[in-house]
């Protein structure tokens, strides 16, 4: 109850007059006290500025006078009631202390200075007292004004911190110019990382800048609100003003400390702590944001990737709940959103989008990839349920979403956007759900190795949803040379799966960039892992991440392809691993593979062209509107990360449409001629005689591109897809396509099928340990010219590691033959790698035999285990070749070869409920069985494939696997 309500008007008037008088006296006393201190300090300084010194009595009088003036000034502070406001009292106190400190410093200077004319130090000290006294005139008159001074100071601190960080960013050099230095050895971090920001650092800086700007906006808004509506008429209002001042004084140091933590080397712990401090102090309009990560990620089929970070697929909406501290007024104060990715976001290139609720945002006329937000019908005035949709053509990557309301902007959150094969508007849309589950969601798969007649499955763990895989894949994109050259353009181009798949193809190998894997096909594998030891992609990708993006040693084609498949599936691009048996490597791009042999059967010299036992690449599913608008080249695209040949100056390959390869359209991009040759080149074997002359001994149009295989959909069976790449071997369609591919003239009828002197087309041997899905279509519809004799190899028994290999060389004289033939036969046995790059002679035999007219001749060949055991530790295959010459007709020469891939000993894997650990493995004797028991702890539920890799002193990398159904952990 106030005095005004209990007193008549005549009583309140004198009381008010009294209050005004007291305030005037207070102000006069304060002003006079300050003037007195200034005057007395001046007298003291002048008295001791030159001889003679004042007498002791005069000095005591001067001291007493200045002491009285100082005590009077101090009384002004103590006299000021606390009810007038803490902020006001603090500023009066600070001003009083500044005067006292100035006087004390002046006295100390006089005591320490010799008697002389007025010294510069004494002048400075006297001026300091004057300056401190002058500040009193500028002190606020009430607590509202005092709080506004505080807020202005804090705005200045925050603004300075923001500008300093922005200036440092604009001055910073390329953060990878040092980290990505090929010349530095060792596996540790680079020496001068302390002076540069990494891309990871920059990804942290951007949201921190947003928080700092939100803090500045918050303090400015507080200042405007106090200036417009601040009230100090009651003690409660005065206290509220003081609270606002205290909040601002907590925000600005937090922002300043946050800025300091951002400088390289970035203090991640400090960033986290100071971010929490600032967030705790900002009086949010936005009370709470819920991204519903588990629910949204489940709907977007990304919950396997993360349960606590929003990961969505473009073209598909997700839900957000936004809690406001004030009622939502869409007509006057719409919500304004900004979604951005990369360090240089722009509407015109699709890396930034402005949108709102309602959507009244003024966007650029060239804006691309526009996001949208909608308010769901069920909402209250302060709890908003929103639906946000990234467009189907948005660049994939890590996004920051800012939200603004009533002149306050804050970070709504961060999320990851991936491709969406479930969205019909996305270029990677795959219509079949079973195929989407297989080629996007399946974390385990089967690769195929061996040769055309010896196909062996290899279980592989793609692990695309393992921990930190998003970080790994985003880093892989950020480290590609195109991003380092033009990050803005590169991030924008990530809307296009054609571009991204080509980048990934280049970055999986490290031949000309800082990619994931270093290849090696021969020599020592010291310092790394033998390629055949790998059983999954995640171990490789994780090592690359933890090893500061240095290449992992070592990989070969199936490893490169499998790792790329993991990355593509994580990004959301349907992908499968494909093996081409008898795969050609056409270096001179003439669609012909020339191989040279000496007259004793082994290769005369290394040749640029070669035919690999098998080669592994990937197929990715996407549209190709860059090639044709009618979709004729949409679908599976060949991509090959193995560094074989350069494409546009970079070691990558594809995407090459499989449909274009089938039609022989070798003029299309990317790298269609190279892939066409891999599956359909003609082979010519030449005999190099002692005099250097060359004779054609074998022309084969059917050898290359056999049993092109991939894992079946929803099954562990092998699916042969050769018919996707070429027509039936020897058919008129296949020959016409080959002619067109060579000449690019679809009307040409000049192509002539050459007569072939070759071994018979053998029946294909079924895969070892796996079922076939489709029948082999390697039939011939054009009958070859019957040669004077045919030769071929035939097995006596299935070749197995650890056993002797027995086979026959069968020579057949046609029934209509009338003359016997005396033959010179050279049989050579070599160990080779699967890509035919390295060979070592194991055995050679030359003999003379007579082939009777119309009869068969069988020559036994025995390869002892002792002959090959050491060679197969470094090689994969035994190549047996035979050169046969007719001694009566030396121009008639015949050639046959066969690659033998030894079958591994069987190994079974069984999972028990309560396994014990036993890692000791005793020496194995022949024809014995050994059981080894291991303990392991699964960390993911669902059907998983457990793989075991076994090696010993005789052979390497025997693998086994079994399917395990891991049940979810029971709730505690």
């Amino acid at each position: 109850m106030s005095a005004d309500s209990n007193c008549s008007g005549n009583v309140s008037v004198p009381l008010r007059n009294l209050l005004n008088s007291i305030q005037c006296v207070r102000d006069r006393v304060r002003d006079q006290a300050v003037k007195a201190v200034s005057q007395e300090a001046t007298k003291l300084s002048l008295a001791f500025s030159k001889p003679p010194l004042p007498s002791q009595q005069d000095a005591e009088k001067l001291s007493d006078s200045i002491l009285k003036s100082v005590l009077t000034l101090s009384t002004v502070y103590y006299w000021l009631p606390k009810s007038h406001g803490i902020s006001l009292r603090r500023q009066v106190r600070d001003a009083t202390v500044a005067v006292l400190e100035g006087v004390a410093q002046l006295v100390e200077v006089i005591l320490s200075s010799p008697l002389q004319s007025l010294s510069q130090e004494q002048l400075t000290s006297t001026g300091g007292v004057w300056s401190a006294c002058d500040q009193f005139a500028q002190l606020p008159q009430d607590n509202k004004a005092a709080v506004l001074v505080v807020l202005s100071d804090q705005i200045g601190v925050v603004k300075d911190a923001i500008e300093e960080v922005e200036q440092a960013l604009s001055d910073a050099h390329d953060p990878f110019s040092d980290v990505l230095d090929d010349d530095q050895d060792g596996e540790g971090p680079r020496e001068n990382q302390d002076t540069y920001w990494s891309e990871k650092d920059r990804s942290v800086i951007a949201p921190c800048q947003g928080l700092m700007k939100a803090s500045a906006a918050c303090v400015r808004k507080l200042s405007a609100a106090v200036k417009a509506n601040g009230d100090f008429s009651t003690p409660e209002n005065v206290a509220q003003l003081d609270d606002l001042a205290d909040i601002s004084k907590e925000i600005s140091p937090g922002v300043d400390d946050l800025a300091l933590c951002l400088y390289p080397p970035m203090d991640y712990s400090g960033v986290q702590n100071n971010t929490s401090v600032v967030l705790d102090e900002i009086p949010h309009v936005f009370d709470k944001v819920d991204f519903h990560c588990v629910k949204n990620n489940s709907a977007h089929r990304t919950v396997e990737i993360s349960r606590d970070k929003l990961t969505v697929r473009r073209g598909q909406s997700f839900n957000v709940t936004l809690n406001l501290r004030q009622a939502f007024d869409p007509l006057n104060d719409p919500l304004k959103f900004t979604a951005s990715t990369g360090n240089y976001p722009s509407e015109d290139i699709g890396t930034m989008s402005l949108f709102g609720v309602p959507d009244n945002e003024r966007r650029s006329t060239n804006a691309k990839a526009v996001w949208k937000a909608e308010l769901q019908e069920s909402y209250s005035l302060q709890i908003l349920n929103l639906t946000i949709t990234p467009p189907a053509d948005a660049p994939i990557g890590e996004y920051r979403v800012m939200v603004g309301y009533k002149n306050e902007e804050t970070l709504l959150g961060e999320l990851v956007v991936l491709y969406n094969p479930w969205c019909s508007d996305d270029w990677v849309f795959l219509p079949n759900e079973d195929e989407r589950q297989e080629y996007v969601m399946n974390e385990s798969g089967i690769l195929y190795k061996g040769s055309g007649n010896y196909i062996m499955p290899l279980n592989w763990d793609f692990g695309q949803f393992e921990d930190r895989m998003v970080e790994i894949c985003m880093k892989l994109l950020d480290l590609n040379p195109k991003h380092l050259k033009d990050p803005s353009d590169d991030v924008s181009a990530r809307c296009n799966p054609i571009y991204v798949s080509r980048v990934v193809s280049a970055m999986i190998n490290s031949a000309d960039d800082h990619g994931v894997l270093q290849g090696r096909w021969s020599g020592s594998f010291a310092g790394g892992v033998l390629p055949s030891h790998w059983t999954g992609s995640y171990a490789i990708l994780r090592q690359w991440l933890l090893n500061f993006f240095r290449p992992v040693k070592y990989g070969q084609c199936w490893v490169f392809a499998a790792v790329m498949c993991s990355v593509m599936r994580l990004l959301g691009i349907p992908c499968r691993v494909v093996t081409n048996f008898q795969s050609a490597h056409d270096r001179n791009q003439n669609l012909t593979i020339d191989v040279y042999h000496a007259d004793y059967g082994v290769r005369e010299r290394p040749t640029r062209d070669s035919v690999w036992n098998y080669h592994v690449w990937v197929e990715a599913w996407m549209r190709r509107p860059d090639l044709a608008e009618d979709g004729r080249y949409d679908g599976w695209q060949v991509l090959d990360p193995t560094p074989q040949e350069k494409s546009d100056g970079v070691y990558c390959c594809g995407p090459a449409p499989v449909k274009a390869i089938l039609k022989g359209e070798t003029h299309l991009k990317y790298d269609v001629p190279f892939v066409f040759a891999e599956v359909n080149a003609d082979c010519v074997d030449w005999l190099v005689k002692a005099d250097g002359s060359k004779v054609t001994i074998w022309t084969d149009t059917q050898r290359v591109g056999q049993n092109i295989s991939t894992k079946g959909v929803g099954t562990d069976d092998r699916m042969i897809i050769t018919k996707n790449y070429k027509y039936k071997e020897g058919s008129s369609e296949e020959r016409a396509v080959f002619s067109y591919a060579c000449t690019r003239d679809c009307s040409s009828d000049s192509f002539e099928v050459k007569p072939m002197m070759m071994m018979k087309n053998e029946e294909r041997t079924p895969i070892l340990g796996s079922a076939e899905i489709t029948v082999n279509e390697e039939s011939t519809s054009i009958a070859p010219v019957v040669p004077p004799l045919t030769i071929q190899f035939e097995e006596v028994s299935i070749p197995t590691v650890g056993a002797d290999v027995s086979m026959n060389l069968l020579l057949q004289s046609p029934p209509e033959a009338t003359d016997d033939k005396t033959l010179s036969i050279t049989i050579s046995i070599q160990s080779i790698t699967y890509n035919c790059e390295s060979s070592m002679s194991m055995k050679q035999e030359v003999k003379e035999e007579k082939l009777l007219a119309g009869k068969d001749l069988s020559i036994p060949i025995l390869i002892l285990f002792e002959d090959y055991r050491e060679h197969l530790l470094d090689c994969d295959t035994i190549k047996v070749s035979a050169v046969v010459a007719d001694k009566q007709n030396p121009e008639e020469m015949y050639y046959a070869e066969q690659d033998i891939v030894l079958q591994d000993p069987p190994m079974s894997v069984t999972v028990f409920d309560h396994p014990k650990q036993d890692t000791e493995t005793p020496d194995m004797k022949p024809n014995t069985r050994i059981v080894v028991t291991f303990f392991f702890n699964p960390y993911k539920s669902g059907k998983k494939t457990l793989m075991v890799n076994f090696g010993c002193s005789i052979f390497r990398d025997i693998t086994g696997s079994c399917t395990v159904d891991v049940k979810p952990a029971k709730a505690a």
Side-chain angles (χ1 to χ4, degrees), residues 237-434:
N237 291 341
V238 170
Q240 288 180 355
L241 291 172
D242 287 331
D243 289 341
L244 293 176
D246 290 341
I247 289 173
S248 71
K249 287 192 288 187
E250 291 294 333
I251 293 174
S252 59
V255 170
D256 198 41
D257 291 342
L258 176 59
L260 291 175
C261 294
L262 294 176
Y263 286 95
M266 184 175 289
D267 178 4
Y268 282 90
S269 176
V271 169
Q272 183 176 5
N273 293 336
N274 286 296
T275 299
S276 299
V277 169
V278 174
L279 287 173
D280 288 343
E281 295 299 333
I282 293 179
H284 295 287
V285 170
F286 306 100
D287 187 34
K288 180 182 178 183
V289 177
D290 190 348
F291 266 159
H292 305 292
C293 288
V294 173
K295 184 177 179 180
N296 281 322
N297 288 3
S298 296
H300 286 251
R301 301 167 184 85
T302 60
V303 74
E304 289 288 333
I305 298 175
S306 177
R307 300 179 66 87
D308 52 19
K309 182 168 185 177
L310 184 61
T311 306
V312 302
R313 300 191 184 275
R314 63 185 193 173
Q316 182 176 343
S317 61
F318 59 92
N319 299 320
V320 176
T321 298
L322 190 59
N323 290 28
L324 302 180
R325 291 191 174 183
Q326 303 174 18
F328 179 49
D329 183 3
L331 295 179
N332 297 312
D333 293 298
L335 284 172
K336 298 180 180 181
F337 297 92
T338 303
S340 62
T341 183
N343 292 325
Y344 308 96
S346 168
E347 287 186 274
D348 294 344
I349 60 175
T351 53
M352 181 173 70
S353 179
L354 307 179
F355 57 106
V357 177
D359 194 4
N360 300 323
E361 286 294 296
R362 297 181 60 183
R363 284 186 282 270
S364 167
T365 56
N366 298 320
K368 299 177 181 178
V370 178
W371 293 45
K372 66 178 182 179
E374 296 176 327
L375 188 61
Q376 299 177 12
E377 294 183 0
S378 57
Y379 74 94
S380 67
L381 292 178
Q382 291 182 250
I383 301 178
L384 308 183
N385 296 314
L386 301 169
T387 299
I388 299 178
T389 307
D393 60 349
I396 63 164
E398 296 173 300
Y399 278 79
R400 299 173 297 279
V401 181
M402 305 293 293
V403 59
Y405 184 62
K406 290 188 175 182
N407 297 319
E408 177 182 328
E409 185 180 43
T410 190
L411 179 68
L412 182 68
E414 297 178 336
L415 66 152
V416 176
V417 177
L418 303 175
Y419 292 112
N420 192 354
W422 284 266
C423 175
S424 59
D425 293 330
D426 198 313
W427 284 11
V428 301
F429 173 64
L430 184 62
N432 186 281
E433 175 61 21
D434 290 339

Side-chain angles (χ1 to χ4, degrees), residues 638-651:
V638 172
L639 290 146
D640 191 352
T642 302
Q644 298 182 91
E645 303 293 332
K646 287 189 175 183
S647 173
D648 292 337
V650 179
Y651 277 106

Side-chain angles (χ1 to χ4, degrees), residues 148 235 364 462 481 520 587 624 756 785 791 795 807:
L148 287 173
S364 167
F462 293 114
R520 177 159 293 182
R587 291 183 179 271
R624 292 301 301 271
M756 295 176 293
V785 176
I791 62 175
E795 295 176 356
M807 60 192 310

Side-chain angles (χ1 to χ4, degrees), residues 629-663:
E629 295 181 358
D630 61 1
R632 74 181 76 170
Y633 301 113
D634 295 353
W636 291 115
Q637 314 286 321
V638 172
L639 290 146
D640 191 352
T642 302
Q644 298 182 91
E645 303 293 332
K646 287 189 175 183
S647 173
D648 292 337
V650 179
Y651 277 106
C652 67
C653 180
V658 174
K659 293 177 181 177
I661 298 167
L662 176 67
K663 298 294 185 181

